[in-house]
Amino acid sequence: MRTQVGIIGAGPAGLLLSRLLAQRGIDSVVLENRSRSYVEARIRAGILEQHTVDTLTEAGVGHRLRREGMEHRGIHLQYPGTRHTLDFPELCGRTVWVYGQTEVTKDLIKAQLDGGPPLLFEVSDVTPEDVDGDSPRIRFTDAEGNPQVLDCDVVAGTDGFHGVSRPVVTAGTAGQLWERTYPYAWLGILADAAPSTDELIYAWHPEGFALYSMRSPSVSRLYLQVDPTDSIDNWSDDRIWENLSRRLDLDGWSVNTGPVTEKSILPMRSFVSAPMRRGRLFLAGDAAHIVPPTGAKGLNLAVADVTLLAAALDRLLNERRSDLVDAYSDSALRRVWRCTHFSWWMTSMLHTSGDDFDAQLQLSQLRRVCGSEAAARELAENYTGLPIEG
Ligand code: APR
Ligand code: PHB
């Protein structure tokens, strides 16, 4: 088998890259080690920045998003006694969209299987080789158990945090890793309950952070800060709703409850690996970086990476010029670090550590964001997404 770009991993990064390349006349093959149903069932975050919506629309996968997604014009920031609304259009002229990453992935897979470049599920033993030369290849075993070789001009490592690509980059470059594991986790639920809020609520509470989000007019997504060593078995649905009610409490208002259809505990970490390139192997998305979920930057960063990478590969493969691929890692990492800072900052402002001094600093910061237009604008610009700079 031969293709121009061999793409490892069919998450949002790999699937969108394949589409953006096809629009530029570049062919690709996407290799995914899980099944289609597994990939489509993974529940992830649900906030899309404006540029993400624009990119998905330009890539031809924006129809259902425009129909079923919900445009949000702000967020509510809450601490005891106060619920303050930040109006994004007023602060920075942009909005965000609520549309689950799971739905983005389904739309991309459907488009791919409907006449797009090849997408192979349930492959195994995926191994990128000879990435330092001009003719790399990917060895893998197909779903029927046959060994295969995919010869390519370029390999894209979009195989997430646990993928095989990043170790190949790290082994062959004088790279660096940065990591921070936070001392809290999120317990997330999906519930068949109409959200009783128009915008997302980010709430600081002495017992811990809570977030009221949603997936549709009839499905709520809510999160509670919990201890990372806690087990989901300790959290009955009743206990979860009681904690959500207490942490999101406001006079004359209540959380709308309903049957819980999914619940799990997610760890929180920041992770950045540089460079995002070794020779003809390029990393994008979670393969190169992880942000904590506060601020919902994970998917948006993956989209920003592949937007840059698609333009760079267009220049390399269609014009034989390497300036953009040479700039790719540094350009992508500048945005990665901006989002890493923003996610860390939101996380640090909203999660309680049990330390009283920290709590007073957090409340002071929250009052500042709610009381100063300059401070609010800084949050709004980052939350809705800064422009992508190549
Ligand atoms: N071979 C083939 N595919 C692999 C391999 C492998 N060795 N290892 C992992 N994969 C697949 C995973 O099964 C997954 O489908 O790569 C894909 C990576 O997708 P994601 O983890 O979704 O990562 P990415 O596409 O970068 O998406 C960005 O945004 O909200 C965040 O973390 C969230 O996934 C999200 C991310
Ligand atoms: C979500 O809806 O899953 C979500 C929303 C906002 C965040 C994180 C997650 O900051």
Side-chain angles (χ1 to χ4, degrees):
M1 288 165 85
R2 194 189 146 77
T3 189
Q4 286 177 288
V5 182
I7 301 178
I8 307 176
L15 291 166
L16 180 61
L17 178 64
S18 177
R19 271 200 91 67
L20 295 176
L21 292 174
Q23 287 183 321
R24 291 162 174 79
I26 298 170
D27 57 69
S28 62
V29 171
V30 183
L31 303 174
E32 166 62 47
N33 62 357
R34 302 284 190 163
S35 68
R36 179 181 182 182
S37 55
Y38 181 94
V39 172
E40 292 190 342
R42 270 191 308 230
I43 297 170
R44 298 271 175 80
I47 298 289
L48 308 186
E49 296 172 0
Q50 188 63 56
H51 82 81
T52 298
V53 173
D54 295 343
T55 305
L56 291 170
T57 304
E58 282 158 27
V61 284
H63 302 292
R64 196 160 68 95
L65 154 59
R66 301 268 171 184
R67 208 170 54 238
E68 296 174 19
M70 298 178 287
E71 186 174 21
H72 277 212
R73 301 171 60 83
I75 57 168
H76 301 299
L77 267 185
Q78 176 167 327
Y79 46 95
T82 299
R83 181 175 293 172
H84 179 84
T85 307
L86 298 185
D87 181 326
F88 292 156
E90 203 169 87
L91 288 164
C92 66
R94 292 196 292 275
T95 60
V96 293
W97 287 65
V98 174
Y99 189 67
Q101 181 178 325
T102 310
E103 306 311 313
V104 173
T105 307
K106 282 187 203 158
D107 294 345
L108 284 164
I109 290 177
K110 185 161 178 285
Q112 192 89 3
L113 296 178
D114 192 13
L119 161 57
L120 311 185
F121 287 104
E122 296 179 71
V123 305
S124 49
D125 310 321
V126 176
T127 314
E129 283 182 0
D130 272 353
V131 298
D132 296 319
D134 286 346
S135 341
R137 77 191 71 80
I138 306 173
R139 286 189 193 279
F140 65 99
T141 304
D142 67 22
E144 286 72 47
N146 306 310
Q148 300 282 358
V149 181
L150 178 63
D151 291 309
C152 353
D153 296 322
V154 165
V155 177
T158 52
D159 45 354
F161 187 67
H162 302 287
V164 292
S165 302
R166 189 179 63 252
V168 175
V169 173
T170 313
T173 55
Q176 211 176 338
L177 303 178
W178 297 265
E179 187 162 20
R180 168 135 327 163
T181 304
Y182 298 92
Y184 11 79
W186 278 15
L187 187 163
I189 63 164
L190 267 180
D192 287 333
S196 58
T197 179
D198 51 349
E199 307 291 8
L200 270 58
I201 306 170
Y202 288 81
W204 183 97
H205 188 274
E207 288 176 25
F209 171 68
L211 171 60
Y212 201 151
S213 181
M214 60 196 76
R215 285 291 176 272
S216 74
S218 58
V219 175
S220 298
R221 175 86 170 142
L222 299 113
Y223 298 97
L224 284 172
Q225 176 190 341
V226 298
D227 191 279
T229 60
D230 209 342
S231 158
I232 196 69
D233 301 334
N234 296 328
W235 289 86
S236 67
D237 294 357
D238 284 349
R239 182 178 175 211
I240 293 171
W241 288 119
E242 277 163 26
N243 274 267
L244 286 166
S245 289
R246 220 169 30 248
R247 296 189 198 179
L248 292 162
D249 180 51
L250 192 75
D251 272 357
W253 176 90
S254 60
V255 175
N256 222 358
T257 62
V260 173
T261 55
E262 197 272 344
K263 59 180 169 182
S264 55
I265 292 182
L266 333 160
M268 294 175 76
R269 67 149 75 85
S270 293
F271 175 88
V272 181
S273 171
M276 287 170 61
R277 171 194 188 182
R278 169 179 171 184
R280 290 264 176 146
L281 168 60
F282 297 86
L283 302 180
D286 276 18
H289 42 74
I290 298 280
V291 288
T294 334
K297 287 292 165 216
L299 169 65
N300 294 294
L301 257 187
V303 170
D305 285 352
V306 298
T307 303
L308 287 175
L309 186 54
L313 294 180
D314 183 14
R315 185 96 108 206
L316 179 73
L317 299 172
N318 287 331
E319 296 176 36
R320 304 276 147 212
R321 287 173 58 194
S322 63
D323 54 336
L324 292 186
V325 287
D326 290 341
Y328 169 70
S329 178
D330 287 347
S331 306
L333 282 163
R334 267 196 296 278
R335 188 183 188 83
V336 168
W337 277 112
R338 176 88 298 282
C339 293
T340 299
H341 177 270
F342 177 67
S343 308
W344 163 85
W345 177 76
M346 287 282 278
T347 301
S348 308
M349 176 169 71
L350 290 163
H351 293 74
T352 51
S353 65
D355 181 288
D356 286 344
F357 182 78
D358 286 349
Q360 292 305 322
L361 292 181
Q362 291 173 323
L363 288 166
S364 172
Q365 179 70 66
L366 282 161
R367 285 193 296 270
R368 175 79 187 151
V369 173
C370 296
S372 149
E373 193 174 313
R377 180 168 297 123
E378 176 62 9
L379 189 155
E381 286 186 356
N382 281 279
Y383 193 96
T384 57
L386 295 163
I388 298 180
E389 288 164 5

